[in-house]
Amino acid sequence: MQRRRLLRDGAFTLGAGAMGGLLPWTAYGQAASPRFSIGPHDFLLDGKALQIRCGEMHFARVPREYWSHRLKLLKAMGLNTVCAYLFWNYHEWRAGRYDWAGQRDAAEFCRLAQQEGLWVILRPGPYACAEWEMGGLPWWLLKTPGDAFLRTRDPAYLEPARRWLQEVGRVLAPMQITRGGPILMVQVENEYGFFGDDVGYLRSLRQALLDAKFDVPLFQCNPTNAVARTHIPELLSVANFGSDPGAGFQALAAVQQGPLMCGEYYSGWFDTWGAPHRRGGVEGATADIAAMLKANGSFSLYMAHGGTTFGLWGGCDRPFRPDTTSYDYDAPIGEAGWIGAKFAAYRAAITPFLKLGETLPAPPPRMPVMAIRAFEMKESVAVAASLPARAIRARVPLPIEQYDISRGLVAYRVTLPPGPAGVLEAARVRDLAWIALDGKPIGTFDTRDRRYKVALPARANAAVLEILLYTIARVNFGPEVHDRKGLHGPVTFTPEGGVSQPVEDWEIRALDFDADGVLPPLQFRRGPSKGAAFWRGGFTASHPADTFLDMSSWGQGIVWINGRCLGRYWSIGPTQTMYLPGPWLRRGHNEVVVLDLTGPTRARIAGLRAPILDRLQRERDLPRPPSTARLQLAGVRPAHEGEFAPGPQTQDVRFAAPVAGRQFCLESLDAFDGKPYAAVAELALLDADGKPIDESNWTIAYVDSEESEREDGGALNAINGQNSDYWHTAYSGAGSNRAHPHQLVIDLGRSVAVSGMRYVPRQGQDVTGRIRRYRAYVGDALVSHG
C-alpha cells in the first residue's frame, strides 16, 4: 500500500517526494520477531498492523501501590501501550550499587502493565531529560573534570553508560515480547539531535543495548526540526511535537520508509518555581490525535499521567529554573489520578479509531481523599546545630562532587581579618546560599541571577563568615547538565578602592541527603528556632487516604512524612500543596518533619482535599536588588536587519560578517499579525561554521516586556532549549500591550564572535507574536547598569 493511500483522507498530506528512493526500515538488518516487527508502513503484531496508542507514565512518580490504578486509567482512556523512562541515577545513585527494589521495581511495573492489557515502550537512557535530576544521569559522573564529556563517546561517560545498559538488560531483557513479556520497543538515548550530531555515539549505545540482549526494535526520538540531524538507518526515527503533526510526519517520511509515530505529543507542560501554572489546550490536542490516527500514525502522549516528583528527584530547566515537585503537567490524568473533561475528550477522540470489536473499559473510581485538621509544628532544631562535627578543610572550595557529597545542605566557614568594607565574590554558586558575618545575616547568593557577590561591612576585629548553601536540583537539559554544585572557588574579597584578595582556608560541613533524602540525627526541642531549621509535628489519621499538605505559610525547603522524603516546597508557587498518597500514612500518629530555610509565617500545616497548583507568592522569594539595566542602542549599528519568513519553521540567518561582543540584542520591529506583541520560542547564535554557540553561561540582561500573570511568557523561555514554550511580551497587568519595537538582550557570559542566529518562532496555529521585521545587535555595552 502506498503512503499516499494511507493519508489521502487524513487532515494532512505528505509531499510528493516523501519516501522517494528510501528502503523499508527492515531492509537495514533490523531485528524482526515473529511476534512484533516494523514493516514499510505499519508496526506489525503477529503479522497484523498495530497502531500504537501510547501514554507516558513514570513509575518513579507514582506510588507503587497505585501503579495498577493508573494503568487501568490509561487503558480506559483508549491507550494500548504505556511508555516508561528508566532514570539511571534512580537505580545507581552511588557508582556500582544498583537498586531495583520497592518503588524502583521496573520489572514489576512491566508485569502489571501486561496484566492490564498494555504493551510497554522502554526508554532506558542513559540520558532521559524528563524534568528529572540531571536528566537521569548520576551525579558521580561529575567527579570527572570537564564540561563537554557527558552524552559523548568519552570513555569517562560511555563506559559507565554501557555498564548501566548491561544492568538494564539483566533486569528487563526477559520482559521483551520476544520472551513473552510486554516490551515492544526500546529507545536509544533521548532527543540527541537537539544536543549533538555524533551518530557514532548513537551507534555505540545501540550496540550496548544489543550486547545487553535486547532483540526488539530499537528507535530514537527527536523534535521535528532535529529528526534529520541524527537519523541513522539502524534506528527507527520518531518525531516529538505538541502541534502540527503533518510537519512531524513529513520530517519522518523524508528520512525513512516506515510507520509514522509521534514519540512525545505534549498534553500540557511542566511547571517551574516562581512562574504561573501551565496548561495544555484540549480542542487542538484532540484534533491532532484524530489526525494522527486517521493518517495511520501512532503516538505517545507526554504525559498521559504526570504524577509527582517525590523526594529530591526534581530537575531544573536551563539556564536555571528548578521544576516543581508536582508533575501534574495538566495531563488528562491528574497528579493524584483524577480525571475530568480532558480525559473524556481524549477518550472520545480515540474511540472512533478502535479496532473492530475493541471496547474501552470504564475508568476506575478515584482513590479516597481526606482533609486533615491544621496542626502546629511545635518542635524545632537549627540546621547549624545539626551539622556533623567533622569538617572538610580546603584552601579553596571545590564543587561538592569532589568531596563525594551528592546533594543537600553545605555549610562553609572561614575567618576574615579586620578590615574595611568591600565585596565578597565567588567564581560560581550552585544553587542558593545565605551569608552571615559573626552570626548576622548580610545577604544571599542566587544562581538564578548569576548573583555571586555580596557586600561585606567593615570589621574592627577578626570575624567569622558563614555560608549555608542549598542544592535544589541539577539541570536536566542541554550542555548545562554538567551542573556541579556548591561554592566554587576562587573566592575573593575586594575592599573599597582596593585590590582583590583571596579568601582561603575554609571549613566545610555537609548534610548529604543522598538518594532518598536521608535525615541526620536531629535533637528537637520545643519552641521555634531562628533561621534555617528543621521542624517536627504530627497528626492522627483514623484511616489512610490521599490528602494535599498546604505549605503556603512556609518558606522554602523539604518535607518528610514518617521518615519518607515527600519532596521540595517553595511558597513562591505556583504549587502551594504537596500531594501525600494515602498508602504512605499510618493508622494513628503520623510524624511530619519540615526543613525550612527562610522561616514560616506560621508553623502549622493542614491537609486539603484538593491541590493548589496555581497560586504565586512572588513576594516570598529571596530579596533581589532592583534592576538598574538600561538599554543603550543609540548610535549602535545593527549587525544585521531583515525580515523573517512567516510560519512556525526554524530559520537560520547569517550575518554579512562576524561581529564580536558579550551581549546580543534581538529587536522586533513589527509582527506578521499587526498586533503589538513579540514572541520567540527559541533563539540560538551561530559561529562561523553555522553551528550553535555554547549557551551554558547565558542569561537575560534586559527585556522590555514579558508576560508573567496569565501565563509564563518569561524571557528565559527564549534560551531554555524548549520549542514548546516561548517568550511573549506582556498582554496583561501593568505595562501590557506596549507597541513595537521590543527588545530582548542576552548576556553571553564572555565576548563571542557571532556570525548568525537561529530563530524558532512561537509554535502552533493562529498564534500571536511571530516577528516580521527585526534588527540584531552584537556589542559589549548594549545594556548598562546604574
Side-chain angles (χ1 to χ4, degrees), residues 17-25 27-28 40 231 250-258:
M19 297 191 183
L22 296 176
L23 291 174
W25 189 76
Y28 295 98
H231 175 74
Q250 182 78 44
L252 294 174
V255 298
Q256 68 189 11
Q257 185 177 354

Side-chain angles (χ1 to χ4, degrees), residues 3-4 27 46-47 49 121 174 216 259 315-316 369 422 508 557 560 591 636 677 699 779:
R3 178 67 58 181
R4 60 179 175 269
D46 296 328
I121 292 176
V216 295
C316 184
V369 181
I508 305 170
W560 289 261
E591 181 186 79
V636 180
Y677 310 118
T699 190

Side-chain angles (χ1 to χ4, degrees), residues 337-349:
W338 297 359
I339 59 175
K342 195 168 197 175
F343 178 94
Y346 278 46
R347 176 177 162 116

Side-chain angles (χ1 to χ4, degrees), residues 341-362:
K342 195 168 197 175
F343 178 94
Y346 278 46
R347 176 177 162 116
I350 292 169
T351 298
F353 299 94
L354 300 178
K355 293 189 299 183
L356 186 65
E358 184 180 7
T359 59
L360 300 183

Side-chain angles (χ1 to χ4, degrees), residues 65-86:
E65 298 86 345
Y66 287 167
W67 287 351
S68 289
H69 178 263
R70 306 303 198 257
L71 291 167
K72 284 180 168 67
L73 285 169
L74 263 65
K75 185 74 172 178
M77 190 164 61
L79 305 181
N80 57 20
T81 309
V82 60
C83 189
Y85 273 125
L86 295 182

